[in-house]
Amino acid sequence: MTFTFEQPLMFALILPVIIGGLFFLREGARRPIIISRMIVLSLLVIALASPTAIVSDVTSDENPSLVVISDETASMSLFEEGVGMNVYESLTANTPTTFIRLTGESTSLGDAIEQYSTGDNQIVLVSDGNNNFGKDIDESLEYAKEMGTTVYSVAPDLKVNDITVQMLGDKTVVIGNENQFDILVSQAEEGEIRYSFEVYAGDTLIRSGTFSQETRTRTIRVPYTFKKLGAQEMRVELSPLTEDKDDINNVYYKSIYVVPKPNINLITSDTGAPLGNILYNLYDVSNSKEFTDLDNKKTVVLDNVNMRELSESDIDELKEYVSQGNGLVLVGGEASFDRGNYLDSSLEELLPVASRPTDWKGGRSIVLVLDVSQSTSAHETLSDILGNSIFILENENLRDAYAGVIAFGSEGVDVSDGLVYLGTHSNLEKLEESISSLVPGATSDTSLDQGLLIAQEWLETESGELDIIIVSDGGFGQSYDESLAVVEEIHDEGIDFYFIHIHEQAAPSQYDKSGNRYSEELMKSVDGTYFFIEKGERANLVFEDQEIPEEETDDIPQITSFPLIEYNPNHFITRNIEIAGNITGYNDVTPKPGADRIIITATGKPVVTTWRYGLGRVAAITTDNGRGGQNVWASQMYSGNNSKLISSTINWAIGNPQVEEGTVVEAEDTWFDTPATLYITHYDGNTPVLRYKGNTLELAVTGKSTYETTIDPNSIGFHDVSGYPIAVNYAIEYRDVGINEDLPVFIKANGGKTYTENEALALLLTDARGNSLKSVQRSESQKLYFLIAALLLFLGEIAVRRIREIRESKKGD
């Protein structure tokens, strides 16, 4: 309960009350009476200030207001029809329900959720969950939760399969450079399908084949090098050999704009090193050491350059050059970074790394042991158990750790297939997906010991910092003795424990006969770290960076080869490569706050690190150029598929490879019935002119020398805007087929549930009534209590004085 005062200025009246009281006390007035009157007057002043208590009440609604949003867009033709109406008719017979239809060839689920989230209703979403227009659905679900609207989803049964194809890859490419294009084939369900496909560049067939596929998606990589400048066309044609409902999404068009090789400036003392060979093959390279001649250069590459070779004016020129939107790549070696006097220099201000040794990270293995017994469903703690587990895995200080996940109910279950490396984004995503999909077991047993035995087996051969983190509602009293024995045995092996206890008042199996929590007693027995939190809270575990103690370094075997790991596989630099190799040396640096580690060694040392400086981009490759000096560090990084890492890094630093002269147009390909937006930069001073289908386009000024316009193509295929190509593909509604597997995760994370049609008809209204319980805050005036207190005190004082006077009168008689 919280107290507030509507008229707090009234408290100023207490001051004269105190002053008057002190005056009368000094004049010799009777002390009890004066103190009593001061208190009475103070209570009256408090009453004048209008004290108010904020009281929370829980209200429920037996007839909650529901909104059924029925997705009837084109992609829903794969599913059983009429599910939305069936759910609506079932609900509206028992509670006020509104029915909303979404139709057409695009789906804006997010917009619909936000539009109908009013806080006094609940939403039932009957859809495949494929949101392709407007607000993102995960953000809209968070908005609904904040408003107080619970959103449920109903997944209709899939009746027929459909296959769709896309071609992914860069639109603006450099002449003579090999490009990777991904053919993405998707199907609505999991099951074996067969198809053949053909990929064309213009009229030339460049790839064909026949494949079988059992997964929802498959990517086929197609390399191609363009040898002509300007607009080019690519397309893929898919021929299904098994069930396929629509053929409209079996052809995909991709427009390509080929530009000349970008100009870059390479500053090196060894142009014949593997680094130089790659750059000379892919770019128009100059070797000028004059930093004042950079106007037409897209990127500057400094290869193993010592600070002594750069003047302060050179560095000032570089800072200005990069901040204006250009690129800078620094390559290491025996004369740069930590070996080239970069530390605390003016050059280092430009860099995403500081030239001092990084703290050694890694050497940590953690095992999450998660309670998924039936009690977690009955007590509604499962979502908090899973949510806390995902929160732990996203801890920044675990990015170089190994982690495993074990679930326990009546038995322990390996969820993660052992320990996996958290530095790989795909591993982290897979772990989070596996955790999100966990459901309560079939029995009521809570055998924590069974989960701990698997964790013990995983960690017995590991070294370094070893942790077991138990996340549970604490109701494991039936297996406490067995769990205690296993925990003590594991602790003797040097493994630390954490216990996150999600509080649930209705779970008596949390406590022993003395009223002690089993979870807390378990942690006391092994000096473990204990968290006792409420539903909705997250335990903030602190994992300190681990460092190799200096006194132990003599015992550590000297590593002479360091495997390379993609730390951020979703970055532009790594998205089309699979790095596989070792280096034998590196510059020991520390990433700065805000920098993005892209490639690291298996010991956590950064090898490729990036960040933005002003409008420009800076990359630090902290190993050598592949030839080095006395010792070669990185020869494997410049050979085979690994060499694409160098070109990808340079391309990232370049950004837009188009020459900054004349009129530069940029636009993405689009979908049928979806306008395409073109962004124009004009470098010649006058107003540019663009023509489409013989008509001059109207341009909107968006900045100095920048413009914007749109076209609305009315046919699928290729379109030309003053020589710039735009491809128009099938309507976006046909792109994503089948159930969006992310939707149940989003729904659950925001307090809702996902049902089949039969489950919705049987259970949804009951759940909606349960979720209509809401805490409502209201104001209650407390003025009367202070008035009554003042009155009682005043009357009490009079009564005491009167009684005293009567007694004294009787004594006088």
Side-chain angles (χ1 to χ4, degrees):
M1 184 181 297
T2 304
F3 282 93
T4 60
F5 295 90
E6 296 179 3
Q7 304 291 335
L9 292 177
M10 290 296 176
F11 280 109
L13 297 176
I14 289 182
L15 188 59
V17 170
I18 296 173
I19 293 173
L22 294 175
F23 174 77
F24 285 113
L25 288 174
R26 288 186 61 186
E27 293 297 316
R30 297 180 61 182
R31 184 180 183 87
I33 294 177
I34 296 302
I35 293 176
S36 172
R37 298 293 167 84
M38 289 175 66
I39 295 173
V40 168
L41 291 173
S42 296
L43 290 171
L44 292 175
V45 170
I46 294 173
L48 287 173
S50 298
T52 301
I54 307 300
V55 180
S56 295
D57 290 332
V58 177
T59 63
S60 63
D61 190 352
E62 280 297 307
N63 298 302
S65 176
L66 301 178
V67 178
V68 175
I69 299 176
S70 179
D71 181 0
E72 299 175 14
T73 55
S75 66
M76 294 299 294
S77 63
L78 306 179
F79 298 86
E80 183 177 350
E81 296 182 0
V83 175
M85 181 56 70
N86 293 343
V87 172
Y88 166 72
E89 291 176 347
S90 171
L91 294 172
T92 196
N94 298 284
T95 193
T97 308
T98 303
F99 187 69
I100 305 297
R101 278 190 173 94
L102 302 181
T103 59
E105 293 198 337
S106 64
T107 307
S108 52
L109 296 178
D111 290 348
I113 290 170
E114 290 198 12
Q115 180 180 353
Y116 294 101
S117 295
T118 60
D120 57 357
N121 64 356
Q122 300 180 60
I123 292 175
V124 182
L125 197 62
V126 184
S127 172
D128 59 6
N130 291 316
N131 183 60
N132 51 49
F133 190 82
K135 300 287 184 64
D136 290 339
I137 194 167
D138 54 336
E139 295 178 359
S140 297
L141 288 170
E142 291 178 4
Y143 171 82
K145 183 178 180 180
E146 291 172 0
M147 290 291 293
T149 294
T150 303
V151 180
Y152 312 93
S153 67
V154 179
D157 291 332
L158 189 70
K159 293 301 182 184
V160 294
N161 199 8
D162 189 42
I163 307 173
T164 180
V165 67
Q166 299 176 66
M167 183 186 295
L168 309 178
D170 294 333
K171 177 169 184 172
T172 303
V173 302
V174 175
I175 190 169
N177 288 7
E178 183 180 271
N179 302 279
Q180 300 285 350
F181 298 97
D182 290 339
I183 309 303
L184 177 63
V185 181
S186 305
Q187 63 167 328
E189 63 182 357
E190 289 190 355
E192 185 175 5
I193 57 172
R194 296 181 65 249
Y195 52 85
S196 62
F197 74 92
E198 296 175 332
V199 182
Y200 293 88
D203 295 326
T204 303
L205 178 66
I206 62 173
R207 178 75 185 273
S208 63
T210 300
F211 287 92
S212 295
Q213 175 176 325
E214 295 184 357
T215 55
R216 289 283 300 274
T217 62
R218 177 173 183 168
T219 300
I220 305 164
R221 186 155 292 173
V222 177
Y224 191 70
T225 302
F226 290 93
K227 298 180 179 179
K228 289 175 60 178
L229 294 173
Q232 306 291 333
E233 300 174 355
M234 297 187 74
R235 74 182 186 279
V236 55
E237 298 178 359
L238 192 72
S239 299
L241 303 176
T242 49
E243 181 183 41
D244 179 48
K245 183 180 185 300
D246 292 313
D247 60 5
I248 190 174
N249 49 12
N250 295 156
V251 178
Y252 191 92
Y253 301 92
K254 183 170 183 60
S255 67
I256 302 293
Y257 194 66
V258 184
V259 300
K261 291 185 177 182
N263 294 326
I264 68 171
N265 197 54
L266 171 63
I267 298 178
T268 182
S269 59
D270 187 4
T271 57
L275 170 68
N277 292 336
I278 292 173
L279 299 186
Y280 276 100
N281 284 332
L282 299 179
Y283 308 99
D284 187 355
V285 181
S286 65
N287 296 110
S288 171
K289 293 187 177 182
E290 298 298 325
F291 290 99
T292 56
D293 185 26
L294 298 177
D295 289 344
N296 65 339
K297 306 298 190 300
K298 288 287 187 177
T299 288
V300 172
V301 180
L302 300 182
D303 174 21
N304 197 29
V305 174
N306 194 287
M307 266 298 296
R308 291 191 299 269
E309 301 176 46
L310 302 173
S311 67
E312 286 302 318
S313 62
D314 290 339
I315 295 171
D316 289 341
E317 290 286 347
L318 275 178
K319 289 180 177 179
E320 178 67 19
Y321 169 78
V322 175
S323 64
Q324 293 302 314
N326 297 294
L328 174 65
V329 177
L330 285 94
V331 180
E334 295 179 345
S336 64
F337 292 105
D338 57 326
R339 305 180 183 210
N341 303 308
Y342 285 17
L343 184 62
D344 297 329
S345 68
S346 54
L347 176 63
E348 191 175 73
E349 296 173 7
L350 262 170
L351 307 184
V353 296
S355 296
R356 59 174 179 270
T358 184
D359 290 340
W360 182 79
K361 285 190 173 184
R364 183 187 291 275
S365 298
I366 68 170
V367 180
L368 294 172
V369 182
L370 311 183
D371 186 353
V372 294
S373 59
Q374 277 193 339
S375 67
T376 63
S377 176
H379 301 147
E380 297 183 344
T381 55
L382 182 63
S383 62
D384 286 283
I385 291 171
L386 305 185
N388 269 278
S389 305
I390 292 173
F391 181 74
I392 291 168
L393 292 179
E394 292 176 344
N395 189 299
E396 182 67 23
N397 284 332
L398 294 182
R399 294 283 291 273
D400 297 319
Y402 285 79
V405 180
I406 298 166
F408 69 92
S410 59
E411 59 184 16
V413 177
D414 178 354
V415 175
S416 61
D417 194 19
L419 298 171
V420 298
Y421 181 60
L422 291 182
T424 301
H425 188 73
S426 57
N427 285 349
L428 181 59
E429 280 190 338
K430 185 176 179 181
L431 280 180
E432 292 181 354
E433 289 174 4
S434 298
I435 291 172
S436 298
S437 63
L438 290 174
V439 295
T443 68
S444 59
D445 295 338
T446 308
S447 301
L448 171 59
D449 58 307
Q450 297 301 308
L452 292 172
L453 287 171
I454 299 175
Q456 181 182 26
E457 181 181 348
W458 284 0
L459 295 178
E460 63 184 1
T461 58
E462 300 296 322
S463 59
E465 189 75 17
L466 308 178
D467 303 311
I468 292 177
I469 304 170
I470 305 167
V471 192
S472 168
D473 62 8
F476 62 97
Q478 58 187 330
S479 65
Y480 176 75
D481 292 337
E482 295 86 348
S483 300
L484 178 61
V486 176
V487 163
E488 290 178 340
E489 182 179 338
I490 293 174
H491 183 63
D492 290 341
E493 298 170 4
I495 298 171
D496 294 327
F497 281 89
Y498 298 80
F499 200 116
I500 300 174
H501 184 156
I502 313 296
H503 181 214
E504 172 47 53
Q505 294 180 344
S509 56
Q510 300 174 78
Y511 302 96
D512 61 20
K513 294 180 181 179
S514 302
N516 300 314
R517 300 189 194 104
Y518 285 116
S519 55
E520 190 169 8
E521 294 302 305
L522 191 70
M523 289 300 97
K524 286 180 180 178
S525 68
V526 292
D527 296 323
T529 304
Y530 181 68
F531 295 87
F532 185 73
I533 63 175
E534 301 295 332
K535 292 179 184 178
E537 295 180 352
R538 295 291 180 262
N540 187 22
L541 278 69
V542 177
F543 298 99
E544 298 292 344
D545 294 348
Q546 301 301 307
E547 299 184 13
I548 300 177
E550 291 185 8
E551 64 272 17
E552 297 180 7
T553 54
D554 292 339
D555 299 329
I556 297 173
Q558 295 299 310
I559 300 175
T560 58
S561 183
F562 305 91
L564 298 175
I565 294 173
E566 294 180 24
Y567 190 74
N568 185 350
N570 292 327
H571 194 275
F572 173 91
I573 292 174
T574 52
R575 68 184 183 187
N576 286 325
I577 64 171
E578 294 179 4
I579 193 79
N582 302 316
I583 59 175
T584 59
Y586 51 80
N587 296 101
D588 206 351
V589 299
T590 299
K592 293 179 181 178
D596 195 353
R597 287 183 288 179
I598 311 300
I599 302 292
I600 63 172
T601 68
T603 55
K605 300 294 185 179
V607 176
V608 179
T609 312
T610 66
W611 78 348
R612 302 298 294 265
Y613 185 89
L615 299 176
R617 308 177 184 208
V618 183
I621 301 175
T622 43
T623 189
D624 67 18
N625 62 16
R627 184 148 72 180
Q630 295 180 345
N631 300 303
V632 180
W633 290 349
S635 57
Q636 290 187 25
M637 207 168 85
Y638 294 87
S639 62
N641 188 65
N642 290 342
S643 65
K644 295 177 182 177
L645 174 65
I646 304 304
S647 59
S648 292
T649 303
I650 302 298
N651 290 340
W652 174 83
I654 288 172
N656 185 354
Q658 294 199 58
V659 179
E660 296 178 356
E661 61 184 27
T663 301
V664 175
V665 180
E666 295 178 83
E668 296 295 329
D669 291 340
T670 189
W671 310 92
F672 181 72
D673 207 25
T674 301
T677 301
L678 290 82
Y679 303 93
I680 304 101
T681 304
H682 194 61
Y683 294 96
D684 288 348
N686 55 338
T687 302
V689 176
L690 293 185
R691 299 182 68 82
Y692 174 60
K693 290 187 175 181
N695 300 316
T696 300
L697 294 175
E698 217 173 284
L699 305 182
V701 179
T702 58
K704 183 181 179 181
S705 302
T706 60
Y707 306 83
E708 187 177 305
T709 188
T710 60
I711 62 171
D712 195 0
N714 56 10
S715 62
I716 292 175
F718 294 102
H719 295 256
D720 180 273
V721 180
S722 292
Y724 188 83
I726 294 177
V728 178
N729 285 291
Y730 51 79
I732 195 171
E733 185 65 17
Y734 298 95
R735 180 189 63 185
D736 304 314
V737 292
I739 291 292
N740 178 1
E741 296 175 339
D742 290 332
L743 181 62
V745 177
F746 294 151
I747 291 287
K748 185 175 182 179
N750 289 281
K753 291 184 180 179
T754 298
Y755 308 86
T756 63
E757 180 183 0
N758 290 334
E759 289 172 341
L761 297 177
L763 304 173
L764 200 153
L765 181 58
T766 302
D767 291 339
R769 285 171 174 162
N771 282 329
S772 69
L773 294 172
K774 294 184 178 180
S775 178
V776 178
Q777 292 187 334
R778 57 184 177 85
S779 299
E780 281 189 357
S781 175
Q782 306 297 302
K783 182 186 300 186
L784 181 62
Y785 300 110
F786 289 95
L787 291 174
I788 291 174
L791 179 61
L792 291 176
L793 183 58
F794 180 71
L795 294 177
E797 179 217 315
I798 293 176
V800 169
R801 283 196 296 114
R802 184 60 182 157
I803 291 170
R804 186 176 296 166
E805 289 173 358
I806 292 173
R807 287 178 177 174
E808 290 177 354
S809 175
K810 288 181 177 180
K811 287 181 181 180
D813 293 341

